[in-house]
Amino acid sequence: MDKVLSFHQGTLPLLISMPHAGLRLSPVVKAGLVEPAQSLPDTDWHIPRLYDFARGLGASIVSAEYSRFVIDLNRPDDDKPLYIGATTGLYPATLFNGEPLFKAGKEPSAEERAEYLEKIWRPYHETIRSELARLKAQFGYALLWDAHSIRSHVPHLFEGKLPDFNLGTFNGASCDAQLAGRLEAVCGEARGYSHVLNGRFKGGHITRHYGDPANDIHAVQLELAQSTYMEEVEPFTYREDLAQPTQQVLEQLLSAVLAWGETRYLR
């Protein structure tokens, strides 16, 4: 594999993870995708651009280069399901609408998937693990923000329209309750936006695995409705008029995370 991730090391105890922003495909996956999948519709589109302000806040940032259609970095390496009902696995077999992802007989082999696990999944998770360890060693605590987005209507996965800001803390297990409350307050004050805490999206493997409040590592997932910053249909155009006010809320959320950490640990 060539470059499998991008990493920027920041100056404050916050790491932002972007596991579904990648667009690269392995040759086997590219050749095997059905026509509707070739535009990579289930990508977390433009997430690095949407969070481009975060470097200025001092955050560390890790972003995937390969598409989730190759391997899903937000699933455990044993591929145990994270949600009851319709979902996608470590090696996705369907699109979000439930249709097959690959042409019949064109799925990657077990050997190819094992290579994706070793050369794409493991380096991404080692980067998260090592950076959280560095942050905790330097600051005494670490904050993890797992950044996602999804179409606001995906009937196969959830009913109706998704709220704009979907915060996930694995039902309170991945971060301190006061931090979650602070984030809910920010969302509640954001006029024109809806939000929910631990609704349909409670946090995937990254949030659940690395969030460890008892050991001063606090993790939050944000699943953002794509209608808040882009066109949700191909060619998935970034909308600056929508994105700019949404970025302001995102910056308030990340600033609240950092401020909570300072209050909790540095007083």
Side-chain angles (χ1 to χ4, degrees), residues 56-85:
L57 294 179
S60 296
I61 302 170
V62 57
S63 179
E65 293 288 331
Y66 275 84
S67 169
R68 68 188 303 163
F69 288 170
V70 178
I71 189 169
D72 192 329
L73 302 176
N74 201 29
R75 298 293 183 268
D77 58 1
D78 62 7
D79 203 18
K80 288 184 178 179
L82 297 177
Y83 292 100
I84 297 173

Side-chain angles (χ1 to χ4, degrees), residues 5-19 51 54 57-63 123-136 139 141-147 206-207 210 217-221 254 257-258:
L5 59 87
S6 296
F7 177 65
H8 165 77
Q9 189 170 92
T11 57
L12 293 179
L14 172 62
L15 172 62
I16 301 174
S17 162
M18 304 175 180
Y51 281 84
L57 294 179
S60 296
I61 302 170
V62 57
S63 179
Y124 192 88
H125 283 269
E126 175 56 26
T127 301
I128 293 177
R129 187 205 62 76
S130 62
E131 181 62 4
L132 290 176
R134 184 190 73 84
L135 294 176
K136 187 179 176 187
F139 297 97
Y141 66 103
L143 306 164
L144 174 62
W145 185 269
D146 206 37
I206 290 171
T207 304
Y210 296 102
I217 299 176
H218 303 268
V220 177
Q221 175 179 294
L254 294 183
V257 171
L258 289 166

Side-chain angles (χ1 to χ4, degrees), residues 1 6 23 49 56-57 74 88 104 118 130 137 162 232 236 256-257:
M1 295 293 173
S6 296
L23 298 173
R49 180 177 179 180
L57 294 179
N74 201 29
T88 55
E118 291 301 318
S130 62
L162 196 69
E232 297 186 306
F236 311 114
V257 171

